[in-house]
Amino acid sequence: MFNSHPDYFNRNIQDGKGLSAIPARLAAPDGQEVPGIAVFNGKHLKFCITEADAIRLATDIADTIQTKN
């Protein structure tokens, strides 16, 4: 279990509220495109990941919530 520092509580809450995800295409140097997901915090891009990694992360999040409850 990760424990965040109390000094970052308000920032963590605001970051969570500002997160969003939209469809994306990851362009490889050879011109190939891979479907993906772009994750933003407000208007700032945080990650652009493949669909497989997005599904893995979503599953990890859901599993973590279920395990906690």
Side-chain angles (χ1 to χ4, degrees):
M1 158 118 16
F2 176 82
N3 291 308
S4 69
H5 195 279
D7 289 346
Y8 297 106
F9 180 80
N10 289 331
R11 185 177 89 184
N12 291 337
I13 297 299
Q14 290 306 313
D15 282 349
K17 289 179 181 180
L19 290 177
S20 62
I22 62 170
R25 280 191 293 277
L26 286 74
D30 64 1
Q32 180 184 14
E33 291 184 344
V34 178
I37 303 296
V39 180
F40 288 84
N41 186 350
K43 294 182 179 183
H44 301 282
L45 176 67
K46 290 303 207 178
F47 305 104
C48 192
I49 58 177
T50 65
E51 286 182 344
D53 286 329
I55 291 168
R56 179 187 51 77
L57 177 59
T59 301
D60 286 351
I61 290 169
D63 288 350
T64 299
I65 291 169
Q66 276 189 320
T67 302
K68 183 183 138 264
N69 293 327

